Amino acid sequence: MEVGNIKDWKRVLFILPVLNHTEQEKFRELLLEMKEMNSGLQLETIVWEPDKRKAGAKNHVRHPNEMNGTDFSLFGKLKNEHLKHYFLGDFEVLVVFPFEFPEKVRKLFKKTENGLKIGFTPKEDFYSAVFSDSSNQFSEKVRLFRKYVLRR
């Protein structure tokens, strides 16, 4: 499937790494730009926190849209009931910003019913569109997403 016109999209799910303040601002700008292009677009995010120690720390407040490796069983089944609706829902587009995921998370991405899966690393076979980014900088990924999706 090729990247279509954003004006035809209805629901988009973003998987993001943990962002610092500057990156959060860039992402908010991207979301506002997308909403300007399609006012009816529903945008949702999941934050990927790969560090189990930080995610399990006593002083860490876990948000409902935060996902990490502890949310999966040994065989890759999603245990977190709140997160299940994201992957069983009717999102037309899945945009995955982080590079690396454990195998059990990659299995979940392969199973999702999203029509278009956009990622930033060519080594994964579950994406329908890949924007190659060797820098691994969030701002560069946002720039590529704007260039190839929003500027059509």
Side-chain angles (χ1 to χ4, degrees), residues 11-140:
R11 295 185 75 201
V12 179
L13 175 61
F14 289 94
I15 310 268
L16 301 171
V18 176
L19 303 176
N20 64 36
H21 179 70
T22 305
E23 293 169 336
Q24 287 176 1
E25 287 302 315
K26 288 201 176 298
F27 186 65
R28 274 192 209 108
E29 291 170 9
L30 174 67
L31 296 182
L32 287 173
E33 189 175 348
M34 291 176 73
K35 288 296 266 182
E36 286 175 8
M37 296 177 83
N38 180 346
S39 61
L41 188 61
Q42 292 181 315
L43 304 166
E44 298 208 35
T45 61
I46 294 178
V47 176
W48 170 251
E49 171 58 81
D51 188 351
K52 289 182 185 179
R53 290 172 292 173
K54 181 180 174 190
K58 290 182 180 180
N59 61 351
H60 178 72
V61 177
R62 184 155 179 183
H63 301 285
N65 69 331
E66 184 177 309
M67 180 172 70
N68 64 48
T70 62
D71 292 316
F72 298 88
S73 71
L74 181 63
F75 301 106
K77 184 176 180 184
L78 188 59
K79 297 187 299 186
N80 185 323
E81 292 296 321
H82 181 75
L83 292 173
K84 283 184 179 179
H85 89 275
Y86 288 111
F87 297 100
L88 300 175
D90 56 348
F91 290 97
E92 294 172 306
V93 181
L94 172 67
V95 183
V96 181
F97 278 93
F99 265 141
E100 298 293 328
F101 295 99
E103 180 59 33
K104 52 190 170 185
V105 180
R106 290 196 294 270
K107 287 180 183 177
L108 175 67
F109 289 164
K110 285 181 184 180
K111 291 179 190 175
T112 60
E113 302 279 327
N114 309 93
L116 176 64
K117 299 174 192 173
I118 300 172
F120 292 86
T121 177
K123 71 179 188 175
E124 301 297 353
D125 62 354
F126 50 80
Y127 295 126
S128 21
V130 176
F131 305 139
S132 191
D133 172 29
S134 59
S135 72
N136 201 18
Q137 295 293 318
F138 185 76
S139 60
E140 179 62 13

Side-chain angles (χ1 to χ4, degrees), residues 3-7 9 29-35 37 41 142-152:
V3 176
N5 190 339
I6 190 172
K7 292 176 184 170
W9 295 357
E29 291 170 9
L30 174 67
L31 296 182
L32 287 173
E33 189 175 348
M34 291 176 73
K35 288 296 266 182
M37 296 177 83
L41 188 61
V142 169
R143 186 191 70 75
L144 287 170
F145 186 81
R146 275 192 172 110
K147 177 180 176 182
Y148 292 108
V149 176
L150 302 187
R151 303 286 184 228
R152 297 175 64 80

